[in-house]
Amino acid sequence: MSFRWSLAAAYFGIAVCGCRAASSTETMTPLTRAELSGFQETSRYEEVRAFITALTARTPHARVEIFGQTEEGRDLPLLVIGDPPASSRVRDTPSRLPVVLVIANIHAGEVEGKEAVLHLARRLTLGNLQPLLRSAVWLFVPIYNADGNERVSLENRSEQYGPIGGVGTRENARGLDLNRDFMKLESSEARALVGLLTRWDPDVIVDLHTTNGSYHGYHLTYAPPLNPNTDTGITAFARERLLPSIRSAMAARHRLRTYDYGNFSTSASLDEELEGFAPGDTRQKVWRTFDARPRFGGSYVGLRNRIAILSEAYSYVDFEKRIQATEAFVEEIMRFVGDNATDIRTLITRADAEWSGRDTPVEGGVAFALRPLPQPVDILVGAVETQMNARSGKPMRAMVGNVTPTSMIVYDGFVSKETRPVPREYVVRASSNGLHETVARKLREHGILVETTDVPSRRSVDQFAIAQVRHAERAFQGHNETSVTGRFERRQVEVPAGSLVVRTTQPLGRLVFYLLEPESDDGLTTWNVFDSALAAGGIHPVLKVVP
Ligand SMILES: [Zn+2]
């Protein structure tokens, strides 16, 4: 299917294809490039724009806004759907609708989410999901890593089971992984997305991916926020109510197997990852989740007191079925949110108020360890066979029928290994090097409230006396990550006018702690913001105010 033809067909809503019908719906237009090509190709940026333009021309229940630009200057579209589609953030009243944001294509080699949200937008406005129109404010980001999407190549993710016409790159145009950029916010895409989180304040965020790695037996795996510093009510709601309910619905209504995201291993060490286990392998078998750090979107959203769900369609299921599985997963989340709107609103209001209004001391984690479930679980081990990609001539891997339940230790969460007291306020003193201004800008990009002192004062603080500064040997995302060791000491210090005061008694207080606490494993210290001011024997620039 030529680019020009599919674009025209999508735009004019002509159902012309001689290929297979739309994945899970009646034939409805506009159609995606995936549908028009018989699921051999994925939509390009202009096709996504044409699809949503054609859709919004056909319904009053969807509109498009631009929430930012990519590094290469492409407008980033947000589809807003509802009856009527909301024009801005919903005011917090006892009857407000929940706001749900679905992000697709953060990794532009993992493209089924992009096709799935276009299908869902069509079904929500014109098809069988119309009853959900009034259940929530639906926000869809169909093509987040738009620059990466346009770098389609047969070389990218060539072992994935289609689309055989190739996919884009994982990274954005600057080589940054957008799902490692939530704390440092270096890409224009991540700053735009976090700006969207601040402006629209979605209650539930779903982030759509495709797996790499282990040959398991699930069509899709998922994860709740993983960081132990997340509000326990948010984590429990996602882990114990939402996800089990979706898992049941996926089995009952769609005949699809789902479970908590993981990879095979023989230990809790994150260094070892196995594709599978040979028959007769008697080693201890482990199913292990990934990482608790909030550089990943799911844990980042959790620290903002919102419900995040990671979705990982299985790479070795064919492209059409991956779209179907992703679409079914989001559809079931949408139904769940519609049925549980009051509980979600209550949960989130409570999480924001409780942290802001706390009157007893709290601790926050700075180092974490994997936590096993108390009992082994029968995890489905799968297998793959080789299929040839007719266009690239390269081998692809395809899931084969049999799955084998195999008893394993499951590490699906984390616990804090070390904690530090959370202060009510952090202070960063004004200085001639302008460091406090850099910190203020970074915090404000996250939507955090930052205040500036008008007059000099003398404050009692816990300051971090640095014993050692370490920089990681290997660069990651262009950074040699920094960590510090040392100890806190209580002092009276002068705080000049113009210094920053950042309260943790605000709705984003958990994020404030993670970004500023000197020993945080994913804070501004980690990402080199303070490097020029860190030296053994010195004092860390972030001070913790003693009440
Ligand atoms: Zn991904």
Side-chain angles (χ1 to χ4, degrees):
M1 185 66 58
S2 80
F3 172 85
R4 204 170 288 281
W5 175 233
S6 61
L7 180 60
Y11 186 80
F12 295 112
I14 312 164
V16 289
C17 74
C19 49
R20 284 176 285 173
S23 60
S24 62
T25 62
E26 56 277 26
T27 305
M28 275 193 300
T29 56
L31 295 172
T32 60
R33 179 158 178 173
E35 292 166 323
L36 289 161
S37 66
F39 299 93
Q40 296 191 356
E41 296 171 358
T42 188
S43 301
R44 306 297 202 269
Y45 174 78
E46 289 300 339
E47 291 165 325
V48 171
R49 295 297 303 271
F51 181 101
I52 60 184
T53 300
L55 186 69
T56 51
R58 292 193 55 189
T59 172
H61 298 137
R63 63 181 194 81
V64 183
E65 67 177 48
I66 301 302
F67 71 94
Q69 278 75 37
T70 65
E71 293 286 347
E72 292 183 327
R74 290 185 175 87
D75 284 341
L76 287 168
L78 170 73
L79 257 172
V80 183
I81 299 176
D83 181 14
S87 54
S88 61
R89 177 179 182 153
V90 184
R91 224 160 46 85
D92 197 15
T93 64
S95 60
R96 76 164 172 89
L97 289 176
V99 181
V100 177
L101 171 67
V102 185
I103 303 160
N105 224 52
I106 185 169
H107 291 144
E110 305 170 15
V111 290
E112 54 272 34
K114 175 181 53 183
E115 311 296 341
V117 298
L118 297 177
H119 296 177
L120 286 164
R122 189 176 59 197
R123 291 171 63 200
L124 196 48
T125 52
L126 305 172
N128 66 345
L129 297 182
Q130 287 181 73
L132 289 172
L133 267 176
R134 292 186 173 195
S135 302
V137 175
W138 306 108
L139 304 177
F140 294 162
V141 172
I143 185 161
Y144 177 38
N145 182 4
D147 293 349
N149 191 77
E150 296 309 276
R151 289 163 162 72
V152 171
S153 164
L154 295 177
E155 303 296 319
N156 296 333
R157 291 181 69 88
S158 61
E159 289 179 341
Q160 175 172 286
Y161 194 14
I164 61 170
V167 295
T169 56
R170 180 180 184 84
E171 294 81 13
N172 78 347
R174 275 175 59 196
L176 293 171
D177 184 334
L178 301 182
N179 202 28
R180 305 293 182 271
D181 201 27
F182 280 93
M183 293 300 267
K184 60 188 171 65
L185 298 181
E186 283 185 311
S187 63
S188 59
E189 291 90 349
R191 288 192 297 274
L193 186 66
V194 167
L196 189 163
L197 295 184
T198 299
R199 274 198 314 286
W200 279 94
D201 196 15
D203 302 279
V204 179
I205 289 114
V206 188
D207 184 21
L208 304 177
H209 294 253
T210 319
T211 57
N212 304 308
S214 298
Y215 303 149
H216 61 64
Y218 302 101
H219 299 100
L220 184 146
T221 48
Y222 50 70
L226 294 173
N227 196 279
N229 288 355
T230 312
D231 175 87
T232 51
I234 298 271
T235 306
F237 186 86
R239 193 182 277 282
E240 291 159 26
R241 273 192 62 189
L242 188 152
L243 288 169
S245 164
I246 306 304
R247 186 180 186 213
S248 301
M250 289 289 276
R253 225 190 314 251
H254 306 276
R255 304 256 167 264
L256 293 169
R257 299 184 296 269
T258 59
Y259 192 64
D260 281 85
Y261 176 85
N263 281 294
F264 297 130
S265 186
T266 58
S267 73
S269 160
L270 289 168
D271 295 333
E272 189 208 42
E273 195 170 297
L274 301 173
E275 287 175 328
F277 297 101
D281 186 338
T282 56
R283 292 178 294 171
Q284 175 66 62
K285 296 173 178 63
V286 164
W287 177 251
R288 193 194 57 212
T289 191
F290 60 108
D291 198 311
R293 288 173 295 181
R295 62 188 61 183
F296 294 85
S299 288
Y300 175 77
V301 166
L303 291 182
R304 296 179 67 106
N305 295 339
R306 300 297 178 263
I307 301 163
I309 305 298
L310 169 79
S311 162
E312 295 267 354
Y314 183 45
S315 299
Y316 308 127
V317 167
D318 74 66
F319 181 44
E320 180 176 6
K321 187 136 192 185
R322 296 206 309 272
I323 298 172
Q324 288 172 3
T326 303
E327 190 175 338
F329 186 69
V330 178
E331 175 189 338
E332 294 305 333
I333 292 173
M334 292 167 67
R335 292 186 193 283
F336 179 93
V337 171
D339 292 343
N340 294 276
T342 305
D343 287 359
I344 290 171
R345 190 176 56 242
T346 305
L347 171 73
I348 274 161
T349 306
R350 199 259 323 133
D352 281 357
E354 192 172 283
W355 179 267
S356 301
R358 67 188 192 274
D359 48 17
T360 48
V362 289
E363 297 268 319
V366 293
F368 308 96
L370 281 158
R371 170 191 54 74
L373 289 178
Q375 301 294 331
V377 175
D378 275 351
I379 295 295
L380 301 181
V381 177
V384 295
E385 64 182 15
T386 299
Q387 297 271 341
M388 276 302 158
N389 180 333
R391 300 219 194 159
S392 68
K394 289 172 184 283
M396 302 182 293
R397 294 176 189 167
M399 183 187 218
V400 290
N402 287 351
V403 294
T404 314
T406 307
S407 177
M408 293 185 205
I409 298 174
V410 171
Y411 293 92
D412 68 351
F414 291 83
V415 289
S416 297
K417 264 194 325 196
E418 281 185 62
T419 64
R420 299 290 178 261
V422 179
R424 295 183 78 80
E425 294 171 11
Y426 288 100
V427 162
V428 181
R429 283 180 286 186
S431 61
S432 55
N433 61 18
L435 190 55
H436 62 295
E437 287 160 357
T438 306
V439 172
R441 191 184 70 243
K442 235 349 125 189
L443 296 175
R444 285 178 180 135
E445 284 170 0
H446 286 276
I448 290 167
L449 181 68
V450 181
E451 297 159 74
T452 311
T453 57
D454 294 330
V455 292
S457 62
R458 192 167 171 77
R459 307 292 299 266
S460 178
V461 300
D462 286 330
Q463 63 180 23
F464 191 75
I466 301 168
Q468 196 180 8
V469 183
R470 294 200 187 107
H471 304 289
E473 269 174 42
R474 284 222 338 244
F476 175 75
Q477 299 287 300
H479 289 265
N480 294 85
E481 293 170 62
T482 296
S483 57
V484 289
T485 58
R487 61 184 175 80
F488 284 97
E489 48 191 33
R490 192 152 292 184
R491 292 285 185 275
Q492 296 280 319
V493 298
E494 302 297 331
V495 177
S499 298
L500 308 183
V501 176
V502 191
R503 298 175 199 272
T504 59
T505 51
Q506 58 178 305
L508 293 180
R510 292 173 188 275
L511 183 59
V512 170
F513 172 80
Y514 221 107
L515 284 163
L516 290 182
E517 184 65 22
E519 295 163 281
S520 166
D521 65 353
D522 205 3
L524 297 184
T525 301
T526 314
W527 296 109
N528 311 119
V529 170
F530 296 115
D531 274 7
S532 63
L534 301 179
I539 301 298
H540 195 288
V542 175
L543 307 175
K544 301 171 76 165
V545 175
V546 178

